[in-house]
Amino acid sequence: MTKVISASIPAIEEAAEVLKRGGLVAMPTETVYGLAANAFDGAAVARVFEAKGRPEINPLIVHVSSIEQAMELAVFNSRAEDVAHAFWPGPLTLVLPRRKDSKIAELAMAGLDTIALRMPAHKMALGLIKSCGFPLVAPSANKSGTLSPTTPAHVADSLGKAVDMILAAGSCEIGVESTVLDLSGDVPVILRPGSILAEEISDIIDEKVGYDTAAKAAPSSPGQLLKHYKPDTPLRLNAIDLEPGEALLAFGSDKFMGIKGGGAAKDLPEKMKRNLSAESDLNEAAANLFAMLKELDKAGAKCIAVMAIPDEGLGIAINDRLRRAAS
Ligand code: TXA
Ligand code: MG
């Protein structure tokens, strides 16, 4: 049985021991739970790919506890330093040219000349990385191609015995994965939208920041190419009414939403409806997104109808995840 243990200082020490021995620990972060392993240990990194069923062409994010530690792994120019100082610790992953003298396991970078780095803003994650003394690879702690976990129970459901220990610290505050920003080329590009927005980054570096996400034919981030975030029940986006037999994922008021052929969404049985945020708050919606999708996925509905979410702020990341879940 996987050990589930409440995150605390002694628990962190125990988790660090597991990681030093080459084991896998699910750790809480401010975005989603990560499946951590010693980034210097090739065998441990291989276990991460195996546990997730992750294609080896998809590189991992290396998590650090300080900017100094990150600088030992990647080449930072002044633009990268400015961004790291502005947003770390926080939900931003930087893709930078890797340092050839770093000891990161080759497998973690999937043969690329770049490395993805992040310093998470979560006391337990930072404490764990510090206590280990080495950086940690940490993809989301779920089977490849499924929804990312935002609670310890999601991790246990998805990975079962493949993870040695789960450091439990409740629900993740943000609920969608970090913004991935590629600073390895001349032009800064967002490869995966998250809660740190293009305009916030632009303000720091005084340059336009573009998007290169799944919408494009040949995205630069290998992970964006792959099937992702997929519930078993089909999704229908931008729904304005319901078909009979559909479940509802609402945003804002669903008071006036009807069911074709008669009936109202507000009278659906409890298991058939969730509201991401009755107050139309995008932060609340992001935090609820994956858990509510998982719950509705179990309702036995023929489809999950999702109301429109404004494509602004954190809504950009929410819509990105929804589009991929629907594709
Ligand atoms: O919020 C997060 O970032 C979470 C928590 C646990 O930190 N982690 C996470 O990792 O979402 P993962 O492995 O599920 O997603 C990593 C993404 C993938 O889309 C991957 O392709 C991309 O980052 N990536 C990693 N290294 C890259 C690189 N060198 N160049 C471009 N994309 C890269
Ligand atoms: Mg993932």
Side-chain angles (χ1 to χ4, degrees), residues 52 54 140 142 148 228:
K52 283 181 61 75
R54 183 172 174 116
S140 49
N142 56 296
S148 290
H228 231 277

Side-chain angles (χ1 to χ4, degrees), residues 31 34 54 58-59 61 63 114 116 118 138-140 177-178 192 221 223:
T31 56
R54 183 172 174 116
N58 193 7
I61 299 174
H63 293 63
T114 52
R118 167 162 127 80
S140 49
E177 305 86 346
S178 61
R192 179 175 73 183
S221 192

Side-chain angles (χ1 to χ4, degrees), residues 88-165:
W88 281 0
L92 180 69
T93 294
L94 298 182
V95 174
L96 295 168
R98 63 192 258 206
R99 277 180 61 153
K100 298 281 180 297
D101 59 351
S102 94
K103 292 180 296 182
I104 300 291
E106 284 293 325
L107 184 58
M109 291 166 298
L112 299 175
D113 292 330
T114 52
I115 182 168
L117 292 172
R118 167 162 127 80
M119 179 176 169
H122 193 292
K123 265 206 318 242
M124 296 302 157
L126 286 175
L128 182 60
I129 304 165
K130 273 198 198 115
S131 168
C132 287
F134 44 75
L136 299 177
V137 293
S140 49
N142 56 296
K143 289 273 186 207
S144 193
T146 65
L147 295 162
S148 290
T150 56
T151 66
H154 292 162
V155 177
D157 284 351
S158 190
L159 295 178
K161 286 196 309 251
V163 50
D164 299 306
M165 184 195 254

